[in-house]
Amino acid sequence: MEETIPGTEAAQIPQQRGTSLLETAVRYAEERHWDVFPGTWLVPADGAQRCSCGDPACAAPGAHPAREDWAAQATGSATVARRMWQKQQGASILLPTGRTFDAIDVPETAGFLALARMQRMELTLGPVTLAPDRRMRFFVLPGAGAKVPDLVRRLGWSPRVLDLAVLGEGAYVAAPPTRFGSWGAVQWACRPTAANRWLPDVEELISALAYACGRDR
């Protein structure tokens, strides 16, 4: 069953209840050929959910890398992924960017505006996540970081003005159904399907994203 957020024509977000982190991580590696790696996890403490990193002020509780060599740990093997999550089945699912995809990171309000605009333009979207930090990440082909500044300038914007960032090599995104402490879980604003297995180039989406971020300032 999918829950539709009122007023967002393009945003149907599956709740993904009952799906274990282990099985989901394995499926991402097996079906989407995404590299995955386990991050921190949530630990019950004094009636609350604390991050396994031990920092009481953790900015992303249960949803960040658990070790410094996370990039080397990431794997596209379903077998290795299963083995890693069996050691800690509550570990968050993190996906390194700059490999099979980059991600365009924008505020939630701008993201929903862009989704509606892209739908009207009949653009083919890749997967899009919505996280409890009120940010949306649009999956695009790798290499977006080198293109976006010039593309944004051609549209008449200064890259420094827009709240729009590219997550490429050396970065990562948290994947559904990873939870950020008590704030909630990462969800799909546009879920992975057979139709969007081939990701769009950032050039196809940047106009709608820049326009939405400009309106959202």
mmCIF file with all atom_site columns, all heavy atoms in Angstrom, residues 158-180:
data_model
loop_
_atom_site.group_PDB
_atom_site.id
_atom_site.type_symbol
_atom_site.label_atom_id
_atom_site.label_alt_id
_atom_site.label_comp_id
_atom_site.label_asym_id
_atom_site.label_entity_id
_atom_site.label_seq_id
_atom_site.pdbx_PDB_ins_code
_atom_site.Cartn_x
_atom_site.Cartn_y
_atom_site.Cartn_z
_atom_site.occupancy
_atom_site.B_iso_or_equiv
_atom_site.pdbx_formal_charge
_atom_site.auth_seq_id
_atom_site.auth_comp_id
_atom_site.auth_asym_id
_atom_site.auth_atom_id
_atom_site.pdbx_PDB_model_num
ATOM 1   N N   . SER A 1 158 ? 23.582 31.536 -10.139 1.00 0.00 ? 158 SER A N   1
ATOM 2   C CA  . SER A 1 158 ? 24.895 31.291 -9.561  1.00 0.00 ? 158 SER A CA  1
ATOM 3   C C   . SER A 1 158 ? 24.810 30.004 -8.750  1.00 0.00 ? 158 SER A C   1
ATOM 4   O O   . SER A 1 158 ? 23.892 29.849 -7.936  1.00 0.00 ? 158 SER A O   1
ATOM 5   C CB  . SER A 1 158 ? 25.308 32.442 -8.645  1.00 0.00 ? 158 SER A CB  1
ATOM 6   O OG  . SER A 1 158 ? 26.410 32.048 -7.852  1.00 0.00 ? 158 SER A OG  1
ATOM 7   N N   . PRO A 1 159 ? 25.748 29.054 -8.955  1.00 0.00 ? 159 PRO A N   1
ATOM 8   C CA  . PRO A 1 159 ? 25.698 27.803 -8.190  1.00 0.00 ? 159 PRO A CA  1
ATOM 9   C C   . PRO A 1 159 ? 25.713 28.040 -6.684  1.00 0.00 ? 159 PRO A C   1
ATOM 10  O O   . PRO A 1 159 ? 25.174 27.234 -5.920  1.00 0.00 ? 159 PRO A O   1
ATOM 11  C CB  . PRO A 1 159 ? 26.967 27.069 -8.643  1.00 0.00 ? 159 PRO A CB  1
ATOM 12  C CG  . PRO A 1 159 ? 27.250 27.611 -10.007 1.00 0.00 ? 159 PRO A CG  1
ATOM 13  C CD  . PRO A 1 159 ? 26.837 29.053 -9.955  1.00 0.00 ? 159 PRO A CD  1
ATOM 14  N N   . ARG A 1 160 ? 26.310 29.156 -6.234  1.00 0.00 ? 160 ARG A N   1
ATOM 15  C CA  . ARG A 1 160 ? 26.383 29.422 -4.797  1.00 0.00 ? 160 ARG A CA  1
ATOM 16  C C   . ARG A 1 160 ? 25.049 29.878 -4.214  1.00 0.00 ? 160 ARG A C   1
ATOM 17  O O   . ARG A 1 160 ? 24.840 29.826 -3.012  1.00 0.00 ? 160 ARG A O   1
ATOM 18  C CB  . ARG A 1 160 ? 27.440 30.506 -4.532  1.00 0.00 ? 160 ARG A CB  1
ATOM 19  C CG  . ARG A 1 160 ? 28.854 29.979 -4.526  1.00 0.00 ? 160 ARG A CG  1
ATOM 20  C CD  . ARG A 1 160 ? 29.824 31.094 -4.295  1.00 0.00 ? 160 ARG A CD  1
ATOM 21  N NE  . ARG A 1 160 ? 30.634 31.320 -5.494  1.00 0.00 ? 160 ARG A NE  1
ATOM 22  C CZ  . ARG A 1 160 ? 31.430 32.354 -5.649  1.00 0.00 ? 160 ARG A CZ  1
ATOM 23  N NH1 . ARG A 1 160 ? 31.502 33.265 -4.716  1.00 0.00 ? 160 ARG A NH1 1
ATOM 24  N NH2 . ARG A 1 160 ? 32.143 32.483 -6.733  1.00 0.00 ? 160 ARG A NH2 1
ATOM 25  N N   . VAL A 1 161 ? 24.162 30.344 -5.067  1.00 0.00 ? 161 VAL A N   1
ATOM 26  C CA  . VAL A 1 161 ? 22.885 30.890 -4.612  1.00 0.00 ? 161 VAL A CA  1
ATOM 27  C C   . VAL A 1 161 ? 21.870 29.783 -4.328  1.00 0.00 ? 161 VAL A C   1
ATOM 28  O O   . VAL A 1 161 ? 21.052 29.888 -3.412  1.00 0.00 ? 161 VAL A O   1
ATOM 29  C CB  . VAL A 1 161 ? 22.327 31.875 -5.669  1.00 0.00 ? 161 VAL A CB  1
ATOM 30  C CG1 . VAL A 1 161 ? 20.877 32.249 -5.368  1.00 0.00 ? 161 VAL A CG1 1
ATOM 31  C CG2 . VAL A 1 161 ? 23.192 33.124 -5.736  1.00 0.00 ? 161 VAL A CG2 1
ATOM 32  N N   . LEU A 1 162 ? 21.918 28.722 -5.108  1.00 0.00 ? 162 LEU A N   1
ATOM 33  C CA  . LEU A 1 162 ? 20.909 27.664 -5.002  1.00 0.00 ? 162 LEU A CA  1
ATOM 34  C C   . LEU A 1 162 ? 21.298 26.630 -3.947  1.00 0.00 ? 162 LEU A C   1
ATOM 35  O O   . LEU A 1 162 ? 22.465 26.252 -3.831  1.00 0.00 ? 162 LEU A O   1
ATOM 36  C CB  . LEU A 1 162 ? 20.734 26.958 -6.350  1.00 0.00 ? 162 LEU A CB  1
ATOM 37  C CG  . LEU A 1 162 ? 20.270 27.815 -7.528  1.00 0.00 ? 162 LEU A CG  1
ATOM 38  C CD1 . LEU A 1 162 ? 20.119 26.949 -8.767  1.00 0.00 ? 162 LEU A CD1 1
ATOM 39  C CD2 . LEU A 1 162 ? 18.960 28.524 -7.216  1.00 0.00 ? 162 LEU A CD2 1
ATOM 40  N N   . ASP A 1 163 ? 20.300 26.171 -3.209  1.00 0.00 ? 163 ASP A N   1
ATOM 41  C CA  . ASP A 1 163 ? 20.507 25.090 -2.237  1.00 0.00 ? 163 ASP A CA  1
ATOM 42  C C   . ASP A 1 163 ? 20.400 23.768 -2.980  1.00 0.00 ? 163 ASP A C   1
ATOM 43  O O   . ASP A 1 163 ? 19.419 23.031 -2.860  1.00 0.00 ? 163 ASP A O   1
ATOM 44  C CB  . ASP A 1 163 ? 19.474 25.197 -1.110  1.00 0.00 ? 163 ASP A CB  1
ATOM 45  C CG  . ASP A 1 163 ? 19.729 24.190 0.009   1.00 0.00 ? 163 ASP A CG  1
ATOM 46  O OD1 . ASP A 1 163 ? 20.732 23.459 -0.065  1.00 0.00 ? 163 ASP A OD1 1
ATOM 47  O OD2 . ASP A 1 163 ? 18.918 24.131 0.951   1.00 0.00 ? 163 ASP A OD2 1
ATOM 48  N N   . LEU A 1 164 ? 21.417 23.494 -3.783  1.00 0.00 ? 164 LEU A N   1
ATOM 49  C CA  . LEU A 1 164 ? 21.446 22.308 -4.640  1.00 0.00 ? 164 LEU A CA  1
ATOM 50  C C   . LEU A 1 164 ? 22.879 21.782 -4.621  1.00 0.00 ? 164 LEU A C   1
ATOM 51  O O   . LEU A 1 164 ? 23.813 22.540 -4.893  1.00 0.00 ? 164 LEU A O   1
ATOM 52  C CB  . LEU A 1 164 ? 21.005 22.681 -6.056  1.00 0.00 ? 164 LEU A CB  1
ATOM 53  C CG  . LEU A 1 164 ? 20.940 21.581 -7.122  1.00 0.00 ? 164 LEU A CG  1
ATOM 54  C CD1 . LEU A 1 164 ? 19.917 21.976 -8.215  1.00 0.00 ? 164 LEU A CD1 1
ATOM 55  C CD2 . LEU A 1 164 ? 22.289 21.331 -7.788  1.00 0.00 ? 164 LEU A CD2 1
ATOM 56  N N   . ALA A 1 165 ? 23.050 20.521 -4.284  1.00 0.00 ? 165 ALA A N   1
ATOM 57  C CA  . ALA A 1 165 ? 24.388 19.937 -4.193  1.00 0.00 ? 165 ALA A CA  1
ATOM 58  C C   . ALA A 1 165 ? 24.414 18.612 -4.935  1.00 0.00 ? 165 ALA A C   1
ATOM 59  O O   . ALA A 1 165 ? 23.387 17.946 -5.114  1.00 0.00 ? 165 ALA A O   1
ATOM 60  C CB  . ALA A 1 165 ? 24.781 19.721 -2.733  1.00 0.00 ? 165 ALA A CB  1
ATOM 61  N N   . VAL A 1 166 ? 25.604 18.244 -5.378  1.00 0.00 ? 166 VAL A N   1
ATOM 62  C CA  . VAL A 1 166 ? 25.797 16.954 -6.034  1.00 0.00 ? 166 VAL A CA  1
ATOM 63  C C   . VAL A 1 166 ? 26.561 16.033 -5.097  1.00 0.00 ? 166 VAL A C   1
ATOM 64  O O   . VAL A 1 166 ? 27.620 16.403 -4.579  1.00 0.00 ? 166 VAL A O   1
ATOM 65  C CB  . VAL A 1 166 ? 26.584 17.104 -7.350  1.00 0.00 ? 166 VAL A CB  1
ATOM 66  C CG1 . VAL A 1 166 ? 26.768 15.734 -8.012  1.00 0.00 ? 166 VAL A CG1 1
ATOM 67  C CG2 . VAL A 1 166 ? 25.870 18.049 -8.305  1.00 0.00 ? 166 VAL A CG2 1
ATOM 68  N N   . LEU A 1 167 ? 26.021 14.849 -4.865  1.00 0.00 ? 167 LEU A N   1
ATOM 69  C CA  . LEU A 1 167 ? 26.704 13.824 -4.083  1.00 0.00 ? 167 LEU A CA  1
ATOM 70  C C   . LEU A 1 167 ? 27.349 12.861 -5.073  1.00 0.00 ? 167 LEU A C   1
ATOM 71  O O   . LEU A 1 167 ? 26.656 12.141 -5.791  1.00 0.00 ? 167 LEU A O   1
ATOM 72  C CB  . LEU A 1 167 ? 25.721 13.088 -3.177  1.00 0.00 ? 167 LEU A CB  1
ATOM 73  C CG  . LEU A 1 167 ? 24.950 13.967 -2.175  1.00 0.00 ? 167 LEU A CG  1
ATOM 74  C CD1 . LEU A 1 167 ? 23.957 13.119 -1.385  1.00 0.00 ? 167 LEU A CD1 1
ATOM 75  C CD2 . LEU A 1 167 ? 25.908 14.690 -1.242  1.00 0.00 ? 167 LEU A CD2 1
ATOM 76  N N   . GLY A 1 168 ? 28.667 12.903 -5.132  1.00 0.00 ? 168 GLY A N   1
ATOM 77  C CA  . GLY A 1 168 ? 29.399 12.055 -6.062  1.00 0.00 ? 168 GLY A CA  1
ATOM 78  C C   . GLY A 1 168 ? 30.404 11.201 -5.334  1.00 0.00 ? 168 GLY A C   1
ATOM 79  O O   . GLY A 1 168 ? 30.149 10.732 -4.222  1.00 0.00 ? 168 GLY A O   1
ATOM 80  N N   . GLU A 1 169 ? 31.573 11.021 -5.932  1.00 0.00 ? 169 GLU A N   1
ATOM 81  C CA  . GLU A 1 169 ? 32.594 10.158 -5.347  1.00 0.00 ? 169 GLU A CA  1
ATOM 82  C C   . GLU A 1 169 ? 32.971 10.635 -3.946  1.00 0.00 ? 169 GLU A C   1
ATOM 83  O O   . GLU A 1 169 ? 33.189 11.824 -3.717  1.00 0.00 ? 169 GLU A O   1
ATOM 84  C CB  . GLU A 1 169 ? 33.836 10.139 -6.237  1.00 0.00 ? 169 GLU A CB  1
ATOM 85  C CG  . GLU A 1 169 ? 34.874 9.132  -5.811  1.00 0.00 ? 169 GLU A CG  1
ATOM 86  C CD  . GLU A 1 169 ? 36.038 9.052  -6.778  1.00 0.00 ? 169 GLU A CD  1
ATOM 87  O OE1 . GLU A 1 169 ? 36.015 9.748  -7.815  1.00 0.00 ? 169 GLU A OE1 1
ATOM 88  O OE2 . GLU A 1 169 ? 36.973 8.283  -6.491  1.00 0.00 ? 169 GLU A OE2 1
ATOM 89  N N   . GLY A 1 170 ? 33.012 9.703  -3.011  1.00 0.00 ? 170 GLY A N   1
ATOM 90  C CA  . GLY A 1 170 ? 33.365 10.020 -1.635  1.00 0.00 ? 170 GLY A CA  1
ATOM 91  C C   . GLY A 1 170 ? 32.187 10.335 -0.743  1.00 0.00 ? 170 GLY A C   1
ATOM 92  O O   . GLY A 1 170 ? 32.356 10.562 0.454   1.00 0.00 ? 170 GLY A O   1
ATOM 93  N N   . ALA A 1 171 ? 30.983 10.354 -1.317  1.00 0.00 ? 171 ALA A N   1
ATOM 94  C CA  . ALA A 1 171 ? 29.771 10.626 -0.534  1.00 0.00 ? 171 ALA A CA  1
ATOM 95  C C   . ALA A 1 171 ? 28.859 9.404  -0.570  1.00 0.00 ? 171 ALA A C   1
ATOM 96  O O   . ALA A 1 171 ? 29.185 8.371  -1.173  1.00 0.00 ? 171 ALA A O   1
ATOM 97  C CB  . ALA A 1 171 ? 29.051 11.857 -1.071  1.00 0.00 ? 171 ALA A CB  1
ATOM 98  N N   . TYR A 1 172 ? 27.694 9.517  0.039   1.00 0.00 ? 172 TYR A N   1
ATOM 99  C CA  . TYR A 1 172 ? 26.765 8.381  0.112   1.00 0.00 ? 172 TYR A CA  1
ATOM 100 C C   . TYR A 1 172 ? 25.357 8.915  0.373   1.00 0.00 ? 172 TYR A C   1
ATOM 101 O O   . TYR A 1 172 ? 25.172 10.073 0.760   1.00 0.00 ? 172 TYR A O   1
ATOM 102 C CB  . TYR A 1 172 ? 27.170 7.416  1.237   1.00 0.00 ? 172 TYR A CB  1
ATOM 103 C CG  . TYR A 1 172 ? 27.122 8.050  2.614   1.00 0.00 ? 172 TYR A CG  1
ATOM 104 C CD1 . TYR A 1 172 ? 25.961 8.029  3.381   1.00 0.00 ? 172 TYR A CD1 1
ATOM 105 C CD2 . TYR A 1 172 ? 28.238 8.710  3.135   1.00 0.00 ? 172 TYR A CD2 1
ATOM 106 C CE1 . TYR A 1 172 ? 25.907 8.644  4.630   1.00 0.00 ? 172 TYR A CE1 1
ATOM 107 C CE2 . TYR A 1 172 ? 28.191 9.329  4.372   1.00 0.00 ? 172 TYR A CE2 1
ATOM 108 C CZ  . TYR A 1 172 ? 27.031 9.291  5.115   1.00 0.00 ? 172 TYR A CZ  1
ATOM 109 O OH  . TYR A 1 172 ? 26.970 9.911  6.333   1.00 0.00 ? 172 TYR A OH  1
ATOM 110 N N   . VAL A 1 173 ? 24.380 8.065  0.152   1.00 0.00 ? 173 VAL A N   1
ATOM 111 C CA  . VAL A 1 173 ? 23.001 8.365  0.534   1.00 0.00 ? 173 VAL A CA  1
ATOM 112 C C   . VAL A 1 173 ? 22.492 7.229  1.406   1.00 0.00 ? 173 VAL A C   1
ATOM 113 O O   . VAL A 1 173 ? 22.905 6.068  1.251   1.00 0.00 ? 173 VAL A O   1
ATOM 114 C CB  . VAL A 1 173 ? 22.070 8.548  -0.688  1.00 0.00 ? 173 VAL A CB  1
ATOM 115 C CG1 . VAL A 1 173 ? 22.488 9.744  -1.516  1.00 0.00 ? 173 VAL A CG1 1
ATOM 116 C CG2 . VAL A 1 173 ? 22.024 7.291  -1.550  1.00 0.00 ? 173 VAL A CG2 1
ATOM 117 N N   . ALA A 1 174 ? 21.602 7.550  2.332   1.00 0.00 ? 174 ALA A N   1
ATOM 118 C CA  . ALA A 1 174 ? 20.905 6.529  3.119   1.00 0.00 ? 174 ALA A CA  1
ATOM 119 C C   . ALA A 1 174 ? 19.716 6.037  2.313   1.00 0.00 ? 174 ALA A C   1
ATOM 120 O O   . ALA A 1 174 ? 18.977 6.834  1.734   1.00 0.00 ? 174 ALA A O   1
ATOM 121 C CB  . ALA A 1 174 ? 20.444 7.116  4.452   1.00 0.00 ? 174 ALA A CB  1
ATOM 122 N N   . ALA A 1 175 ? 19.548 4.724  2.258   1.00 0.00 ? 175 ALA A N   1
ATOM 123 C CA  . ALA A 1 175 ? 18.486 4.128  1.440   1.00 0.00 ? 175 ALA A CA  1
ATOM 124 C C   . ALA A 1 175 ? 17.332 3.646  2.311   1.00 0.00 ? 175 ALA A C   1
ATOM 125 O O   . ALA A 1 175 ? 17.534 3.247  3.460   1.00 0.00 ? 175 ALA A O   1
ATOM 126 C CB  . ALA A 1 175 ? 19.039 2.964  0.633   1.00 0.00 ? 175 ALA A CB  1
ATOM 127 N N   . PRO A 1 176 ? 16.100 3.680  1.785   1.00 0.00 ? 176 PRO A N   1
ATOM 128 C CA  . PRO A 1 176 ? 14.963 3.108  2.501   1.00 0.00 ? 176 PRO A CA  1
ATOM 129 C C   . PRO A 1 176 ? 15.207 1.638  2.818   1.00 0.00 ? 176 PRO A C   1
ATOM 130 O O   . PRO A 1 176 ? 15.847 0.943  2.026   1.00 0.00 ? 176 PRO A O   1
ATOM 131 C CB  . PRO A 1 176 ? 13.814 3.265  1.495   1.00 0.00 ? 176 PRO A CB  1
ATOM 132 C CG  . PRO A 1 176 ? 14.230 4.422  0.629   1.00 0.00 ? 176 PRO A CG  1
ATOM 133 C CD  . PRO A 1 176 ? 15.718 4.276  0.498   1.00 0.00 ? 176 PRO A CD  1
ATOM 134 N N   . PRO A 1 177 ? 14.740 1.146  3.961   1.00 0.00 ? 177 PRO A N   1
ATOM 135 C CA  . PRO A 1 177 ? 13.947 1.821  5.005   1.00 0.00 ? 177 PRO A CA  1
ATOM 136 C C   . PRO A 1 177 ? 14.775 2.277  6.211   1.00 0.00 ? 177 PRO A C   1
ATOM 137 O O   . PRO A 1 177 ? 14.315 2.205  7.341   1.00 0.00 ? 177 PRO A O   1
ATOM 138 C CB  . PRO A 1 177 ? 12.956 0.733  5.404   1.00 0.00 ? 177 PRO A CB  1
ATOM 139 C CG  . PRO A 1 177 ? 13.787 -0.538 5.307   1.00 0.00 ? 177 PRO A CG  1
ATOM 140 C CD  . PRO A 1 177 ? 14.749 -0.321 4.164   1.00 0.00 ? 177 PRO A CD  1
ATOM 141 N N   . THR A 1 178 ? 16.007 2.736  5.986   1.00 0.00 ? 178 THR A N   1
ATOM 142 C CA  . THR A 1 178 ? 16.870 3.227  7.065   1.00 0.00 ? 178 THR A CA  1
ATOM 143 C C   . THR A 1 178 ? 16.156 4.289  7.895   1.00 0.00 ? 178 THR A C   1
ATOM 144 O O   . THR A 1 178 ? 15.503 5.177  7.334   1.00 0.00 ? 178 THR A O   1
ATOM 145 C CB  . THR A 1 178 ? 18.168 3.814  6.471   1.00 0.00 ? 178 THR A CB  1
ATOM 146 O OG1 . THR A 1 178 ? 18.904 2.755  5.854   1.00 0.00 ? 178 THR A OG1 1
ATOM 147 C CG2 . THR A 1 178 ? 19.018 4.489  7.526   1.00 0.00 ? 178 THR A CG2 1
ATOM 148 N N   . ARG A 1 179 ? 16.317 4.227  9.216   1.00 0.00 ? 179 ARG A N   1
ATOM 149 C CA  . ARG A 1 179 ? 15.695 5.203  10.114  1.00 0.00 ? 179 ARG A CA  1
ATOM 150 C C   . ARG A 1 179 ? 16.719 6.189  10.653  1.00 0.00 ? 179 ARG A C   1
ATOM 151 O O   . ARG A 1 179 ? 17.850 5.840  10.946  1.00 0.00 ? 179 ARG A O   1
ATOM 152 C CB  . ARG A 1 179 ? 15.020 4.495  11.303  1.00 0.00 ? 179 ARG A CB  1
ATOM 153 C CG  . ARG A 1 179 ? 13.851 3.610  10.927  1.00 0.00 ? 179 ARG A CG  1
ATOM 154 C CD  . ARG A 1 179 ? 13.048 3.214  12.163  1.00 0.00 ? 179 ARG A CD  1
ATOM 155 N NE  . ARG A 1 179 ? 12.372 4.377  12.745  1.00 0.00 ? 179 ARG A NE  1
ATOM 156 C CZ  . ARG A 1 179 ? 11.207 4.866  12.321  1.00 0.00 ? 179 ARG A CZ  1
ATOM 157 N NH1 . ARG A 1 179 ? 10.582 4.296  11.313  1.00 0.00 ? 179 ARG A NH1 1
ATOM 158 N NH2 . ARG A 1 179 ? 10.670 5.911  12.905  1.00 0.00 ? 179 ARG A NH2 1
ATOM 159 N N   . PHE A 1 180 ? 16.305 7.448  10.763  1.00 0.00 ? 180 PHE A N   1
ATOM 160 C CA  . PHE A 1 180 ? 17.099 8.497  11.414  1.00 0.00 ? 180 PHE A CA  1
ATOM 161 C C   . PHE A 1 180 ? 16.548 8.673  12.831  1.00 0.00 ? 180 PHE A C   1
ATOM 162 O O   . PHE A 1 180 ? 15.641 9.467  13.067  1.00 0.00 ? 180 PHE A O   1
ATOM 163 C CB  . PHE A 1 180 ? 16.952 9.821  10.664  1.00 0.00 ? 180 PHE A CB  1
ATOM 164 C CG  . PHE A 1 180 ? 17.824 9.986  9.451   1.00 0.00 ? 180 PHE A CG  1
ATOM 165 C CD1 . PHE A 1 180 ? 17.738 9.112  8.378   1.00 0.00 ? 180 PHE A CD1 1
ATOM 166 C CD2 . PHE A 1 180 ? 18.725 11.034 9.365   1.00 0.00 ? 180 PHE A CD2 1
ATOM 167 C CE1 . PHE A 1 180 ? 18.522 9.269  7.253   1.00 0.00 ? 180 PHE A CE1 1
ATOM 168 C CE2 . PHE A 1 180 ? 19.518 11.195 8.239   1.00 0.00 ? 180 PHE A CE2 1
ATOM 169 C CZ  . PHE A 1 180 ? 19.419 10.314 7.180   1.00 0.00 ? 180 PHE A CZ  1
#
